[in-house]
Amino acid sequence: MSVLEDARAVLAIDGVCDACLGRVFADRSHGLTNRERGRALRTVVGLEDDEAPDYVDPADCWVCEGRCGEFDEWAERAAAAVGDVEFESYQVGTRPPALIEENERMLREDAGLDADAGERFKSEFNREVGKRVGRLTDAEVDFERPNVQFLLDLAADTVEAQVNSAFVYGRYRKLERGIPQTKWPCSACNGSGRQGREPCEECDGSGYRYPESVEQLTAPVVEDVMDGIGATFHGAGREDVDARMLGTGRPFVIEIEEPHRRTVDADRLQEDINAFADGKVEVEGLRLATHGMVERVKRHDAAKRYRAQVAFDGDVDAEAFAAALEELDGATIEQETPNRVDHRRASKVRTRKVYDIEGELEDARTATVEIHGEGGLYIKELVSSDEGRTTPSLAGLLGVDAEVTALDVLAVEGESEPFENASYFRD
């Protein structure tokens, strides 16, 4: 059958508005709205029959039950639902009443057309309301990861606006020891700050094992500036609590939940964070990032460079020390899960590479060692041997017990390419 013959079959069913008529033929004559397509078909049929077209107001349409006349209304409700939230991208989703979906099926069946002819009511409603939302808010549609997602529930007569997170990337330096990367709840009170009716003695009622963390010294500032309701800190690995993070810093992303502001001055934000952290932590290279940067920070393979102060239990001579470093330089290390983390990590043997290592004896029982190693290499155990769980090790090669007394991370860099890939930034 021709398009006009199919259109006549639909028009033979009374009470169908132009949009519902045109939607059956949505795969024809692209560039028209379904309403324009339906009106054109109705007009041509009227011209062929030399009869005035019988136009049907959407309010009188039994298929959409008037919904195709409400695009403007729902768009205005969606725009109002986000209030003063700043956003650049959005997506509209519709939950249509079951009766409308059944009406669509009946229309095609009664007209003798395929059940999947044209497009669904839900798709048209998403598109038509979406276009109007864009005009009202000066934002663009994004089907991947929009700033805001609208759900129009026609049966419940509600509009939900989900404001998705915003992300800030940077690198941090931790300049003092004794500061964890993220909040560390007190184990004695499970983070409540209380034991019974009394303040917890272990944490002095704070609820935290450590009073400050890199997260607590940075994320609240970003949350405040972006006017969000919560923040999550994502780091590219983490250093030990007693280790400093120096040099080029460690990559991180701060995720802000339901932000009202997305466009912020990254340089000013950086200054604000550094002032708030008061010399304990410094951040640099702040940039507005995409959601994908969280996964990159967490999953991107990274090599790390460390500086360790080492104490020996016995005297070590320079030649033996140099020979041990030469043996470790470029070596593949086998490490069973260290005793110190065995309670929270699966027990298994990992192999990691030492890319290069160099050091200097300060006296017969102390040394400074710099190690450039593969991500996941346990540095303290590389020095101490961890009761033989790491081989080879500095202590094992020297035949003298050794311990890291102070550890600094100097660099965290991507193995294959830098963390800072332009495709993950908004600016």
Side-chain angles (χ1 to χ4, degrees):
M1 294 176 69
S2 69
V3 172
L4 283 181
E5 288 174 321
D6 287 343
R8 285 181 182 278
V10 176
L11 288 171
I13 305 168
D14 291 334
V16 180
C17 72
D18 290 339
C20 290
L21 168 60
R23 192 163 58 254
V24 178
F25 305 95
D27 54 348
R28 301 297 187 102
S29 187
H30 299 291
L32 299 175
T33 65
N34 285 332
R35 180 178 178 277
E36 292 168 341
R37 187 177 289 109
R39 176 152 294 215
L41 287 169
R42 196 186 302 269
T43 300
V44 170
V45 170
L47 288 171
E48 274 202 341
D49 295 345
D50 195 17
E51 294 180 357
D54 184 15
Y55 298 111
V56 177
D57 190 283
D60 299 321
C61 177
W62 67 272
V63 180
C64 69
E65 298 188 318
R67 298 299 190 181
C68 290
E70 298 176 355
F71 298 144
D72 289 329
E73 174 190 334
W74 283 90
E76 290 168 2
R77 290 178 63 181
V82 290
D84 61 351
V85 172
E86 176 187 332
F87 63 101
E88 300 168 351
S89 60
Y90 68 95
Q91 182 180 356
V92 173
T94 301
R95 185 178 292 149
L99 181 58
I100 290 180
E101 294 182 317
E102 176 64 14
N103 291 345
E104 286 215 291
R105 186 192 64 76
M106 291 174 57
L107 175 66
R108 287 160 175 76
E109 183 179 291
D110 291 349
L113 302 177
D114 291 341
D116 59 353
E119 72 172 338
R120 302 277 74 81
F121 167 84
K122 176 180 180 178
S123 298
E124 178 178 18
F125 211 87
N126 289 344
R127 182 179 62 258
E128 292 301 325
V129 174
K131 288 191 298 187
R132 290 160 172 80
V133 169
R135 290 196 291 267
L136 290 171
T137 63
D138 196 28
E140 296 183 356
V141 172
D142 181 352
F143 296 111
E144 296 297 325
R145 181 75 186 185
N147 298 157
V148 176
Q149 291 175 282
F150 297 101
L151 176 60
L152 317 178
D153 191 326
L154 306 191
D157 194 31
T158 59
V159 175
E160 297 177 17
Q162 176 182 307
V163 180
N164 289 327
S165 298
F167 306 88
V168 175
Y169 169 85
R171 286 174 173 266
Y172 76 81
R173 284 186 291 273
K174 189 178 78 179
L175 306 177
E176 294 186 5
R177 305 188 193 280
I179 299 176
Q181 184 187 85
T182 54
K183 298 174 185 176
W184 194 321
C186 172
S187 58
C189 64
N190 294 319
S192 69
R194 304 191 67 82
Q195 290 182 327
R197 297 181 178 274
E198 301 298 324
C200 175
E201 293 182 359
E202 288 291 323
C203 64
D204 291 328
S206 70
Y208 297 107
R209 181 174 177 181
Y210 296 90
E212 295 176 316
S213 64
V214 176
E215 177 183 17
Q216 290 163 293
L217 292 169
T218 57
V221 179
V222 185
E223 181 183 341
D224 181 62
V225 169
M226 302 189 90
D227 194 11
I229 65 166
T232 302
F233 189 98
H234 306 279
R238 63 177 67 214
E239 66 284 338
D240 291 339
V241 173
D242 61 353
R244 294 184 298 184
M245 179 68 239
L246 305 177
T248 56
R250 185 182 296 275
F252 70 92
V253 173
I254 293 176
E255 176 181 353
I256 301 302
E257 301 167 24
E258 297 188 28
H260 276 59
R261 295 182 60 201
R262 289 181 183 271
T263 304
V264 298
D265 185 331
D267 291 337
R268 175 65 181 275
L269 179 59
Q270 183 170 302
E271 292 174 3
D272 290 345
I273 292 173
N274 288 339
F276 181 74
D278 195 26
K280 300 168 186 174
V281 169
E282 288 179 349
V283 299
E284 65 177 20
L286 290 195
R287 298 179 68 177
L288 301 177
T290 66
H291 174 262
M293 197 61 179
V294 173
E295 185 72 9
R296 185 169 179 83
V297 160
K298 287 181 169 294
R299 304 297 181 191
H300 193 50
D301 289 336
K304 299 165 187 177
R305 189 174 292 278
Y306 302 84
R307 180 175 61 223
Q309 298 294 318
V310 180
F312 302 106
D313 273 2
D315 290 349
V316 174
D317 66 54
E319 287 189 8
F321 182 67
L325 294 185
E326 185 176 355
E327 182 77 15
L328 290 173
D329 194 65
T332 297
I333 311 299
E334 291 190 354
Q335 296 189 302
E336 190 174 347
T337 303
N339 282 311
R340 62 191 172 93
V341 298
D342 194 44
H343 62 286
R344 64 176 188 269
R345 296 192 183 177
S347 182
K348 64 179 182 178
V349 176
R350 299 170 175 84
T351 60
R352 294 294 187 269
K353 187 84 171 176
V354 174
Y355 295 137
D356 60 73
I357 184 170
E358 57 186 30
E360 181 178 348
L361 279 175
E362 297 174 8
D363 56 49
R365 295 205 173 193
T366 57
T368 300
V369 179
E370 288 199 10
I371 304 118
H372 181 206
E374 185 180 357
L377 176 67
Y378 291 110
I379 300 302
K380 291 178 179 178
E381 286 69 27
L382 178 67
V383 170
S384 71
S385 92
D386 194 27
E387 299 178 351
R389 295 160 75 91
T390 289
T391 57
S393 67
L394 183 59
L397 291 170
L398 290 172
V400 175
D401 286 345
E403 178 186 9
V404 173
T405 56
L407 182 66
D408 295 327
V409 187
L410 304 180
V412 178
E413 303 297 343
E415 290 271 16
S416 57
E417 63 177 23
F419 280 87
E420 295 82 359
N421 185 305
S423 64
Y424 292 94
F425 296 116
R426 284 177 47 204
D427 51 350

